[in-house]
Amino acid sequence: MNRELKSHIPEGAIAEKWDNHKFNIRLVNPANKRKYNIIVVGTGLAGASAAASFAELGYNVKAFTFHDSPRRAHSIAAQGGINAAKNYQNDGDSIFRLFYDTVKGGDYRSREANVYRLAQVSVSIIDQCVAQGVPFAREYGGLLDNRSFGGALVSRTFYAKGQTGQQLLLGAYSALSRQVATGKVKMYPRTEMLDVVLIDGKARGIITRNLITGAVEAHDAHAVVLATGGYSNVFYLSTNAMACNATAAWRAHRHGAYFANPCFTQIHPTCIPVSGDHQSKLTLMSESLRNDGRVWVPRNPADKNKKPSEIAEKDRFYYLEEKYPTFGNLVPRDVASRNAKYVCDEGLGVGKTGKAVYLDFSDAIKREGRKYVEDKYGNLFDMYQRITDDNPYETPMRIYPAPHYTMGGLWVDYNLMTTIEGLYAIGEANFSDHGANRLGASALMQGLADGYFVIPYTIGNYLAAEPYKVEDTSHPAFSEAIDRVKERMNRLINIKGNTVPDDFHRKLGRIMWDHCGMSRTGDGLKQAREQVRQLREEFWKDVKVVGTADGLNTELEKASRIADFLELGELMIVDALDREESCGGHFREEHQTPEGEALRNDEDFAYVAAWEYQGENKDFILHKEDLAFENVKLTQRSYK
């Protein structure tokens, strides 16, 4: 199956593309919307906002989550804030500057038209959320407050202490709950999507498993929207919740949805370091902390075992401030992460493992007072103290980079449709807005932009040409898909091996982190691909899944998801090996400037890599979407 990549970017000036597109796309008569059914998989910020918006418009919606409540979605873990080009600080921000910062932050590997639209609708997101009652921080006079984030020289990040994601999700959840109460949305909690159903090449439904009863069920619709998040748990240890997985997107990929830029993964610089093999996840400390916290390590390796208070100011190496005087501690995440790795590799890292740097708030406390810091970051400080038993008001935090966000995802066009007709991907599940590196506070922005202000328009363009009556679950395609799902589950259970799923996941994560993590080499990637293939072969021979498929079985859930990670991991490596350049979070050691910065190859690699699945143990096929930069000049990224 060979599908041509058509991005469907509208003609015209970039500032006019979205408005013109909204006027020119087909519309569904309000009275006819009730004749169309839409499935939304995932109820985080993107999914909840999309489902609520569809229902508000009049569509019939089925919403699926493997959580017991949409409020458990991983969006709740986002801490620092959400970007919007409101220019409340009167410091020179604008829609174009947000657009420019985002394209530059992504190291010029994102689609200009999508990013500009994101910047445009960002201003409406804040108004929407305020109307929902989201308690954004406010200045003394009552105006909404802003703070800075990495990769920007303006303050455009709206926040609610260190729990912005939670508050935004509660706002979206309230909108969703209202539609559930009206009957326009039917919720399916504790239900996992395991396959997508295609009829005549179009997405017409999904196959799910009830995680409590084990029942495998079919659901039909006119269109399917995936809002299932990212895949950083391929690394095993990440800041993602343990249940986050890639199964929905990967099953769609197996049916013909191209997977774009899978090697573009983000390593967050501000996480609590690994403390031992007992850990199953890592804890994020918001990037917002770098507004007032200063990052440093001892200049002398002999001082790294001293208490921070015993190290004189002249003996402290504020490496980000010295190397990047313009942006200082607010350089983008990929830059901050790599530099933390550099100083630790040079023997300057602190803590028991030597894999940590200090994030110090003593200057802010002296300058502004402890209450100032408590008001802005109090819950983050409390969380850090509970986890580490150190008081960050009195001694610096210890932080180190960890897998966090994935910029890659299912390829989508300007309308957010994948290469499968009628199948859409929104939020972190798609690739479209962040290029090779996501700027902080842009994930929440994209999730709500896609859910509230983009997909409600663009899905109508597709549905307007679809018949009201389409094939339901009586069609043979649904029973065939159910059989595929059951056969796969039985195959896992009947292996009856000796190794539990978590052991395979841990081994995969180590391979990915060592060879496809913060830095990559050609030789390391080749080695990693063979290791992943061997591990996958071992998995299908020796995984131990106890219990049956007929009921609650968390080991079966894990094994099913890890099987997908084992395939996705290889694709990530293939993509990283093919991209002979460094850009953003993809750092090939063979391609760097003399100063150790990422060295792009715009002549050969200014494209989106969209990979087509060919079958188990078969090579993937690469398709390219060339990126045109008409409004931003391609330059070597600099934050000095």
Side-chain angles (χ1 to χ4, degrees):
M1 191 180 295
N2 193 344
R3 296 178 176 85
E4 182 182 354
L5 292 178
K6 295 181 179 179
S7 59
H8 297 118
I9 297 173
E11 298 292 331
I14 195 165
E16 300 171 0
K17 288 182 186 293
W18 178 231
D19 288 338
N20 290 341
H21 189 60
K22 286 191 293 183
F23 178 76
N24 290 321
I25 59 178
R26 292 166 293 194
L27 300 177
V28 179
N29 183 322
N32 290 336
K33 286 187 171 76
R34 66 177 68 97
K35 300 176 183 178
Y36 290 103
N37 303 318
I38 302 173
I39 284 174
V40 178
V41 185
T43 56
L45 281 181
S49 58
S53 299
F54 291 149
E56 185 76 36
L57 288 169
Y59 296 112
N60 305 304
V61 181
K62 289 183 177 181
F64 296 82
T65 175
F66 56 62
H67 296 294
D68 53 0
S69 165
R71 290 178 297 174
R72 301 273 289 176
H74 188 59
S75 301
I76 205 168
Q79 298 167 343
I82 177 171
N83 288 330
K86 285 285 197 181
N87 194 31
Y88 282 174
Q89 305 300 310
N90 199 28
D91 57 359
D93 201 9
S94 65
I95 288 172
F96 191 87
R97 187 177 294 277
L98 174 54
F99 156 71
Y100 173 81
D101 287 345
T102 305
V103 172
K104 176 184 175 183
D107 218 351
Y108 306 94
R109 290 296 176 262
S110 50
R111 192 190 283 154
E112 274 194 345
N114 286 64
V115 178
Y116 195 90
R117 176 176 64 187
L118 176 66
Q120 277 181 295
V121 303
S122 70
V123 297
S124 299
I125 294 171
I126 304 304
D127 297 337
Q128 170 90 359
C129 295
V130 169
Q132 291 174 336
V134 173
F136 287 121
R138 294 180 180 268
E139 295 177 335
Y140 178 77
L143 298 177
L144 297 183
D145 195 11
N146 293 122
R147 56 189 178 198
S148 300
F149 258 63
L153 292 176
V154 297
S155 295
R156 63 163 67 102
T157 304
F158 296 78
Y159 64 98
K161 276 198 172 181
Q163 50 186 246
T164 313
Q166 177 181 358
Q167 297 303 327
L168 291 172
L169 186 59
L170 289 173
Y173 175 69
S174 67
L176 177 61
S177 296
R178 178 174 178 271
Q179 297 304 323
V180 171
T182 66
K184 294 301 291 183
V185 175
K186 184 173 183 181
M187 279 296 311
Y188 291 84
R190 300 294 287 136
T191 304
E192 183 170 25
M193 172 187 155
L194 294 180
D195 212 348
V196 61
V197 179
L198 306 187
I199 299 175
D200 297 329
K202 296 183 178 183
R204 290 302 190 204
I206 63 173
I207 305 301
T208 63
R209 179 175 181 269
N210 185 305
L211 299 179
I212 303 299
T213 68
V216 177
E217 299 172 334
H219 302 270
D220 60 83
H222 293 82
V224 176
V225 179
L226 301 184
T228 49
Y231 49 90
S232 271
N233 272 354
V234 72
F235 292 99
Y236 184 68
L237 287 179
S238 81
T239 65
N240 285 191
M242 290 175 63
C244 292
N245 65 84
T247 287
W250 192 254
R251 301 295 169 85
H253 175 59
R254 289 169 68 102
H255 283 290
Y258 292 176
F259 211 105
N261 298 337
C263 78
F264 287 171
T265 55
Q266 181 171 82
I267 310 300
H268 196 292
T270 317
C271 301
I272 297 178
V274 176
S275 60
D277 291 338
H278 63 282
Q279 282 184 270
S280 55
K281 77 174 301 294
L282 299 174
T283 303
L284 170 70
M285 298 306 296
S286 171
E287 182 183 324
S288 64
L289 294 169
R290 290 196 279 142
N291 271 277
D292 290 298
R294 301 180 70 191
V295 180
W296 64 276
V297 291
R299 289 188 184 277
N300 186 345
D303 290 340
K304 65 181 183 180
N305 293 321
K306 290 182 178 179
K307 294 180 179 179
S309 58
E310 296 174 347
I311 302 174
E313 185 70 16
K314 65 181 179 62
D315 296 324
R316 299 181 177 190
F317 180 22
Y318 295 95
Y319 56 89
L320 292 178
E321 297 175 30
E322 293 184 23
K323 191 172 181 181
Y324 308 97
T326 300
F327 281 76
N329 294 301
L330 288 175
V331 293
R333 291 174 175 177
D334 61 314
V335 177
S337 294
R338 277 197 297 275
N339 278 275
K341 181 180 185 297
Y342 291 157
V343 295
C344 290
D345 288 349
E346 291 169 1
L348 302 178
V350 299
K352 293 179 180 179
T353 64
K355 296 291 187 181
V357 301
Y358 288 127
L359 182 60
D360 193 342
F361 290 84
S362 57
D363 281 0
I365 292 172
K366 290 176 184 176
R367 183 179 64 250
E368 305 287 351
R370 174 166 170 159
K371 187 177 186 306
Y372 166 86
V373 174
E374 286 179 345
D375 289 345
K376 294 187 75 172
Y377 313 111
N379 64 311
L380 296 173
F381 276 47
D382 292 343
M383 181 172 67
Y384 181 87
Q385 185 167 3
R386 284 196 298 271
I387 292 171
T388 66
D389 201 29
D390 284 339
N391 185 343
Y393 294 105
E394 299 174 358
T395 187
M397 292 181 179
R398 289 188 302 275
I399 58 169
Y400 194 71
H404 177 55
Y405 188 90
T406 53
M407 286 75 67
L410 293 179
W411 185 91
V412 293
D413 64 7
Y414 189 74
N415 294 318
L416 306 184
M417 187 187 288
T418 70
T419 46
I420 296 175
E421 280 192 73
L423 179 69
Y424 294 79
I426 61 177
E428 193 178 356
N430 73 36
F431 86 99
S432 67
D433 292 356
H434 306 299
N437 174 64
R438 177 179 68 82
L439 292 183
S442 289
L444 304 183
M445 176 174 61
Q446 187 205 352
L448 291 180
D450 286 356
Y452 281 137
F453 298 107
V454 180
I455 191 73
Y457 286 98
T458 60
I459 203 168
N461 185 55
Y462 171 72
L463 294 176
E466 291 299 295
Y468 302 137
K469 183 173 177 54
V470 293
E471 297 83 355
D472 60 21
T473 55
S474 64
H475 191 281
F478 286 92
S479 57
E480 291 168 7
I482 288 176
D483 290 342
R484 282 197 306 269
V485 168
K486 288 183 176 179
E487 188 277 331
R488 184 179 176 89
M489 289 191 299
N490 290 330
R491 181 183 173 193
L492 286 167
I493 289 171
N494 290 331
I495 292 172
K496 300 188 185 304
N498 299 304
T499 307
V500 297
D502 280 339
D503 284 353
F504 285 104
H505 197 179
R506 192 177 288 107
K507 290 177 183 177
L508 173 64
R510 174 51 60 187
I511 295 169
M512 298 302 296
W513 177 250
D514 287 346
H515 300 297
C516 199
M518 258 197 291
S519 63
R520 300 100 186 256
T521 66
D523 289 341
L525 289 165
K526 291 173 185 175
Q527 178 184 345
R529 187 178 188 187
E530 289 306 311
Q531 290 176 343
V532 170
R533 283 181 163 180
Q534 291 171 12
L535 186 64
R536 188 167 68 239
E537 184 178 345
E538 182 184 345
F539 172 89
W540 285 106
K541 290 179 180 178
D542 194 46
V543 70
K544 179 181 181 180
V545 179
V546 296
T548 68
D550 302 325
L552 180 67
N553 191 336
T554 57
E555 290 301 289
L556 177 59
E557 293 173 39
K558 287 180 186 178
S560 178
R561 296 166 185 172
I562 294 165
D564 294 326
F565 276 140
L566 284 163
E567 292 187 350
L568 172 58
E570 182 179 356
L571 179 57
M572 291 169 63
I573 292 166
V574 168
D575 188 40
L577 192 57
D578 184 78
R579 190 171 281 276
E580 286 277 0
E581 66 165 352
S582 291
C583 54
H586 168 64
F587 192 76
R588 284 285 298 269
E589 293 180 14
E590 303 94 332
H591 306 288
Q592 55 182 299
T593 67
E595 297 80 21
E597 305 292 351
L599 183 61
R600 295 194 323 271
N601 178 351
D602 295 328
E603 183 175 347
D604 297 320
F605 293 97
Y607 61 73
V608 176
W611 296 90
E612 181 181 0
Y613 184 81
Q614 290 294 292
E616 289 186 23
N617 300 313
K618 293 183 180 179
D619 288 339
F620 301 89
I621 294 178
L622 173 62
H623 303 266
K624 299 177 182 179
E625 178 198 346
D626 292 329
L627 294 170
F629 293 93
E630 302 170 351
N631 301 275
V632 174
K633 183 180 179 181
L634 283 166
T635 59
Q636 174 64 33
R637 197 171 52 145
S638 174
Y639 292 95
K640 296 183 177 181

